[in-house]
Amino acid sequence: MGCGLRKLEDPEDSSPGKIYSTLKRPQVETKTDTVYEYVLLDFSLEGSRPTVQYLSSLCELPQALLPYYTQGYVLAALHPIILSVGRTRALPLSLLYRAIMTRPRPSKHAMPMCHSVPVLRVEEWPLPGDVLTGDTVRALIDRVNSSARGGVRFVCSVIQQAGGGSGSRMSSPTRGCRSPPRSPPRTPPGERDLENGGYSPDLRLMVLFHSWAAGCTPLDAQGCCYHQGALSMRVSRKGQVVSALEADWLELTAAYYRKGWSLVDSFVYWDTPKGEPVPRSLEGLFIYEERSMTAPANDTIVVEQWTVIEGSSVKTDYGPLLHTLAEFGWLLTCVLPTPIIRHDSDGNLATKQVVFLQRPVKGPSVQHQNQAASGHSEVSSRSVSRGVSSPQMEELSPCSGGIGGFPVFGGGYSSALSHLEEGGFEQDDGAAEVTCM
């Protein structure tokens, strides 16, 4: 039985996706001592989606994911699938989320390792003002670092806003969700104070951490420190709504990956304050994790991928590519959802997401990574790897074996790198055609 994503509305951006990497295909497909297993779990904060697991609040996520944690999986990333930023009302499925679970699967040649299982913890932090600002994010990073000094490890964060807006409504605080006192996050001396005017009753940041029992924190999770990095994009708009984006992902992240840091979260200031001109570029911040133990430099893969939703279920997305890359030791660390939304000819919603993966540098690449000119990034999306269309993806459909009520997505795929040639994927002219048999 065939299925397909046919031509999208914008002929200038009709490929299934684009992939950028610091490596060429032979290096991307190099085997490593550790490979990863992924489970993609979709859930909704709205109870009217019969095919999707329902949670009344993100605060229920730790309990819902507990069966996976007992099997050695941990949460790698969490993101809303649909963002309604810039729209007068929230889109359908704005309360649909994805949790990406991962666990290492050592190869038969690797020495067995014992890892203590962390506990997932959710905290609810109020935010000042009606929109996210750079000062607010920097203060939040300071607060994350304060928590990390207490022995926890930052996983990711999700903004929730009443009535939609940033992609979801705000649920009332629920048991199991920590609600700190309503006082501004502390900033170090010399930092600009947060905006006066108090906290928005609508805007909240749901912050997820991993914690361990006393004395059981693994060495690589002790003393983690979090840093900000620049994030800038060129955008096209239809009215207030972002319709396309372009960014030099490799140039933005290369210097941090060379240090051995991991990209773990991102904030983008999608909203334009009322009365201000609509900008042609958007700014934000990446959040990087620096571990106390010396870490090798990282190579990276960045994927701009369309996710197609049929009814209330994800039909096609980055799952096939993720499972293929997992066999070569690529670890997903962050997914950046965007408000770019189209419809295919069948009327299904399609939205673009940006996926970040990393892997420690191997062999001769180490020397290449360390040859950095001061203040200049050597890794360029234009010179190292051209961004071109991704290979055809098979349908991402639920398969049996779900745990705790979650349908499991993303099992059993043929190689998603079959079209990767020297320097990137070959460009396929014409429609974004996804075919499955």
Side-chain angles (χ1 to χ4, degrees):
M1 180 176 179
C3 62
L5 165 63
R6 286 177 285 278
K7 192 170 289 186
L8 301 172
E9 293 179 348
D10 189 347
E12 296 180 356
D13 194 6
S14 58
S15 64
K18 297 179 181 180
I19 184 168
Y20 308 85
S21 180
T22 54
L23 299 175
K24 297 180 180 180
R25 179 180 179 181
Q27 297 167 304
V28 167
E29 293 181 307
T30 301
K31 290 290 186 178
T32 62
D33 288 339
T34 301
V35 299
Y36 291 95
E37 296 175 343
Y38 291 100
V39 177
L40 312 181
L41 305 173
D42 295 345
F43 64 94
S44 178
L45 300 182
E46 184 182 23
S48 62
R49 308 289 175 186
T51 62
V52 181
Q53 171 78 356
Y54 167 68
L55 299 180
S56 63
S57 166
L58 288 180
C59 301
E60 297 180 359
L61 192 60
Q63 184 64 32
L65 296 180
L66 187 58
Y68 288 93
Y69 273 76
T70 60
Q71 295 191 14
Y73 287 96
V74 296
L75 181 67
L78 171 71
H79 65 89
I81 294 178
I82 295 289
L83 289 180
S84 297
V85 174
R87 301 176 187 272
T88 56
R89 60 185 178 86
L91 290 167
L93 305 175
S94 290
L95 299 179
L96 187 62
Y97 286 80
R98 164 158 290 176
I100 303 166
M101 310 296 293
T102 185
R103 67 180 179 187
R105 188 181 76 226
S107 71
K108 59 183 179 180
H109 303 294
M111 293 293 292
M113 299 180 65
C114 181
H115 297 281
S116 58
V117 178
V119 174
L120 183 63
R121 191 171 96 192
V122 181
E123 293 188 2
E124 181 183 43
W125 294 0
L127 294 175
D130 297 324
V131 296
L132 201 63
T133 67
D135 288 340
T136 304
V137 173
R138 283 185 283 272
L140 291 169
I141 297 173
D142 293 335
R143 191 169 181 173
V144 166
N145 277 315
S146 178
S147 297
R149 286 190 289 271
V152 300
R153 188 173 185 178
F154 175 65
V155 179
C156 61
S157 63
V158 176
I159 294 177
Q160 289 196 313
Q161 187 174 24
S166 294
S168 66
R169 69 182 177 189
M170 181 58 217
S171 301
S172 299
T174 306
R175 186 176 64 180
C177 206
R178 304 187 180 198
S179 299
R182 289 175 175 264
S183 58
R186 297 195 175 196
T187 55
E191 287 288 335
R192 178 181 173 184
D193 291 334
L194 290 174
E195 302 283 344
N196 293 326
Y199 286 86
S200 166
D202 298 332
L203 204 59
R204 298 288 188 276
L205 188 70
M206 312 302 287
V207 187
L208 288 81
F209 294 97
H210 279 144
S211 62
W212 289 262
C216 295
T217 305
L219 291 176
D220 65 351
Q222 296 178 11
C224 292
C225 185
Y226 298 89
H227 307 271
Q228 67 185 45
L231 196 174
S232 59
M233 297 179 287
R234 299 170 293 279
V235 297
S236 301
R237 295 179 184 264
K238 293 181 179 178
Q240 293 286 331
V241 178
V242 176
S243 58
L245 65 82
E246 181 182 0
D248 297 320
W249 301 116
L250 300 181
E251 288 187 353
L252 288 169
T253 58
Y256 304 97
Y257 281 120
R258 280 198 298 269
K259 295 179 180 181
W261 296 1
S262 298
L263 196 164
V264 293
D265 205 359
S266 60
F267 293 90
V268 180
Y269 317 128
W270 298 110
D271 293 300
T272 302
K274 293 181 180 179
E276 293 190 9
V278 178
R280 294 185 178 180
S281 64
L282 287 174
E283 304 298 323
L285 290 174
F286 283 127
I287 311 300
Y288 295 91
E289 179 187 79
E290 177 189 9
R291 300 185 183 183
S292 58
M293 300 177 63
T294 302
N298 287 309
D299 280 312
T300 183
I301 291 175
V302 183
V303 182
E304 296 179 6
Q305 176 68 44
W306 286 100
T307 289
V308 181
I309 302 171
E310 185 176 50
S312 59
S313 299
V314 173
K315 174 184 176 182
T316 307
D317 71 351
Y318 54 79
L321 182 61
L322 179 59
H323 288 284
T324 298
L325 292 173
E327 295 297 320
F328 303 108
W330 290 95
L331 177 64
L332 182 147
T333 62
C334 182
V335 177
L336 171 63
T338 77
I340 300 174
I341 295 174
R342 310 275 171 78
H343 287 85
D344 67 6
S345 58
D346 296 325
N348 297 320
L349 280 177
T351 183
K352 178 168 285 189
Q353 292 150 354
V354 186
V355 182
F356 296 86
L357 303 101
Q358 67 183 49
R359 188 181 70 181
V361 169
K362 298 184 63 177
S365 296
V366 176
Q367 181 180 358
H368 168 73
Q369 290 282 347
N370 291 330
Q371 293 174 344
S374 176
H376 176 71
S377 168
E378 288 190 349
V379 183
S380 168
S381 58
R382 294 183 294 273
S383 61
V384 177
S385 175
R386 61 186 183 275
V388 290
S389 63
S390 68
Q392 293 183 338
M393 299 292 189
E394 297 181 6
E395 181 182 16
L396 192 65
S397 57
C399 40
S400 60
I403 302 174
F406 285 101
V408 178
F409 295 86
Y413 297 96
S414 59
S415 174
L417 294 176
S418 58
H419 294 265
L420 181 60
E421 301 298 337
E422 294 294 324
F425 288 114
E426 289 186 326
Q427 178 70 50
D428 294 327
D429 297 327
E433 197 75 35
V434 180
T435 306
C436 59
M437 303 302 294

